[in-house]
Amino acid sequence: MTGRRRPTSPRLFRLLTSSVAAGALLTTGCGALPGASGGSREPITVMTWAPGGQTGPDSADMSGMTAMARTYARWANENGGLDGHELRVVTCDEADTEAGAGACAQLAIRKNAVAVVGSYSRHGASSLAALETAGIPYIGGYGASDEEFSSYNSYPVNGGQAALLAGNARQLARDCAGVSVVRPDTLAGDGQAWLLRTGLTDAGRSAPTDIRAEESATSYDEAAERALRAAGRDGGCVTAVLGSRTETFFDSFRRLEPSYGDVRISSVLGSVAQPLIDSTGGRKSPFEGAYLTGWYPESGDPRWNPMREVIRKHAFGDNRIDPDDTGIQTTWIAYTVLNEVVRAMNTPKITAGKLAIALNKGTPADTGGLTPVLRWRYADVLGSSAYPRIVNSRVTFQVVRDGRLVADRKEFVDVAATLSEASAKG
């Protein structure tokens, strides 16, 4: 989830063209939808964008999110649409580049999208300004860019990496005598270290040892050695937040750990998730016993059953859609928010302006317990200088047991106080 610049891909516009074609194919149905009132309600066009992972070896691949958006539309339209409105989803591969993100925003404007929903981009600066100018709401971004938590046109469903780091500090404070944090040697990494420091000291623990590491390294032996020594032989913890390189770090860590006693490892969802645990050995994974902080309930929670049923019936075996993946879960929640707000609006025509007014007035969105009930009135946002648009500052504590992420604590944990204090001090 850490941001880094990449050159624009020469395949960018071919990718965008193919994505637009795929999105156009999703426009389903003719005439009235099942359950609609005589076709009297106009269709709703929205966009979902995410990188497809084809532009380079380190490019993020979140193509499951656009696939989930199409799946949601098939399900919704088979069941009367959104309050009788046919849901038309246009998708775009933003190629994990600044140019790609900007091109997707321009496409959303040309397609007259009423919202961008359930999307992923690390390049919010290249896309959200254009959406602001066009008045198109950005609902439920993954939380990978700072602009999602500052733009007045953004309606985030989670607290982003900031909430995960604040929560991770609280989770570690319960059991860890000493903590080492391994994070990128970047400006964004500086902010990560500050949040963990604030959370730990607020909980009465010593400040963590800050271990800077190269974001794109192929080995982390030196960082692992320093982190283990600083954490202490017993009762210490090492947390790493290195995005896709977190697995590489823990490979280095596990080769050293036996000589250092019992040191617990930790990370946040997005750097480590169930698919990674599965692919690295399940019960024999290096992440067995690790503490993880997430935004939502663990993937085995029954509150995810409606999503899983929709995937089973309407994804047609699309293997990009993994219900354990946080990106897929975020897209589901974002479309649930859209559905809830459109139903509450109860109007024959939905426009971007009308949708933004409904969101700003505080129309509540019940996500079935996957988040608190979400609303974006002035009174609901965190309002801190660093994260003014956060309305959901709650996280979940999870732990890896027998190869599965399970709840480490049943209820949500609110980290609003830590976020506000870190913002004020920072």
Side-chain angles (χ1 to χ4, degrees):
M1 289 178 57
T2 54
R4 49 187 179 268
R5 294 176 181 268
R6 295 194 179 85
T8 302
S9 166
R11 302 175 58 197
L12 170 63
F13 294 104
R14 292 199 300 274
L15 287 168
L16 291 175
T17 302
S18 64
S19 297
V20 173
L25 289 173
L26 188 60
T27 303
T28 57
C30 297
L33 288 165
S37 54
S40 61
R41 303 211 156 188
E42 294 188 9
I44 298 172
T45 298
V46 301
M47 174 175 277
T48 297
W49 65 52
Q54 299 107 323
T55 55
D58 288 330
S59 295
D61 183 356
M62 304 298 287
S63 56
M65 295 176 71
T66 51
M68 184 68 222
R70 300 185 190 116
T71 298
Y72 190 97
R74 283 192 287 268
W75 166 74
N77 291 336
E78 271 195 24
N79 291 276
L82 305 188
D83 196 34
H85 300 270
E86 179 188 0
L87 177 60
R88 297 177 177 178
V89 174
V90 179
T91 60
C92 185
D93 184 345
E94 64 89 76
D96 208 8
T97 65
E98 293 177 2
C104 285
Q106 292 302 321
L107 180 60
I109 294 168
R110 293 198 302 273
K111 291 292 182 179
N112 295 315
V114 303
V116 175
V117 185
S119 297
Y120 180 102
S121 178
R122 292 189 282 199
H123 308 285
S126 300
S127 56
L128 286 178
L131 296 185
E132 288 177 359
T133 301
I136 298 174
Y138 187 78
I139 301 173
Y142 182 86
S145 73
D146 291 341
E147 289 77 11
E148 294 177 45
F149 304 102
S150 59
S151 170
Y152 65 85
N153 227 45
S154 178
Y155 302 88
V157 299
N158 60 52
Q161 191 173 57
L164 294 181
L165 292 164
N168 191 229
R170 291 269 296 275
Q171 188 175 16
L172 294 174
R174 297 177 310 169
D175 300 320
C176 302
V179 175
S180 297
V181 53
V182 183
R183 50 81 169 187
D185 189 9
T186 61
L187 185 61
D190 292 345
Q192 294 172 9
W194 184 251
L195 276 161
L196 283 159
R197 178 188 178 91
T198 302
L200 283 164
T201 55
D202 281 354
R205 291 288 189 177
S206 299
T209 301
D210 185 14
I211 310 292
R212 295 174 173 84
E214 288 297 322
E215 195 170 21
S216 58
T218 56
S219 173
Y220 289 99
D221 288 355
E222 182 183 353
E225 174 82 23
R226 286 187 288 140
L228 279 164
R229 286 189 182 279
R233 288 185 172 274
D234 293 301
C237 295
V238 173
T239 189
V241 186
L242 293 165
S244 61
R245 299 291 179 171
T246 303
E247 177 186 1
T248 306
F249 169 79
F250 280 120
D251 282 344
S252 299
F253 176 91
R254 283 303 190 196
R255 288 195 296 270
L256 297 170
E257 190 214 3
S259 63
Y260 280 87
D262 184 18
V263 177
R264 194 153 201 163
I265 64 173
S266 176
S267 189
V268 297
L269 269 292
S271 286
V272 177
Q274 188 62 54
L276 176 59
I277 296 166
D278 294 340
S279 68
T280 54
R283 287 187 177 90
K284 296 182 179 179
S285 164
F287 301 105
E288 182 67 22
Y291 283 143
L292 296 173
T293 307
W295 294 309
Y296 316 126
E298 72 277 10
S299 58
D301 190 285
R303 284 171 284 189
W304 293 112
N305 288 348
M307 179 192 73
R308 291 179 178 275
E309 185 69 5
V310 168
I311 292 171
R312 186 180 69 81
K313 290 185 176 180
H314 298 276
F316 305 138
D318 191 331
N319 60 13
R320 293 172 298 173
I321 303 178
D322 185 339
D324 293 341
D325 182 82
T326 312
I328 305 302
Q329 295 170 353
T330 299
T331 299
W332 170 263
I333 290 171
Y335 272 91
T336 301
V337 168
L338 177 69
N339 195 353
E340 288 277 296
V341 175
V342 167
R343 288 181 181 277
M345 291 170 69
N346 188 27
T347 182
K349 183 175 182 179
I350 303 293
T351 66
K354 287 181 178 179
L355 186 58
I357 289 170
L359 289 162
N360 292 333
K361 283 186 174 179
T363 301
D366 187 339
T367 63
L370 297 171
T371 67
V373 173
L374 299 172
R375 54 200 307 169
W376 289 270
R377 298 171 304 176
Y378 178 78
D380 298 310
V381 297
L382 184 63
S384 71
S385 59
Y387 322 106
R389 295 295 294 174
I390 290 179
V391 298
N392 176 14
S393 54
R394 299 183 189 181
V395 297
T396 57
F397 292 168
Q398 301 176 33
V399 63
V400 183
R401 291 197 185 113
D402 295 326
R404 298 295 302 176
L405 273 169
V406 297
D408 186 36
R409 176 172 171 170
K410 290 183 179 180
E411 60 276 359
F412 286 102
V413 177
D414 195 338
V415 295
T418 299
L419 291 175
S420 295
E421 183 171 350
S423 178
K425 290 181 177 179

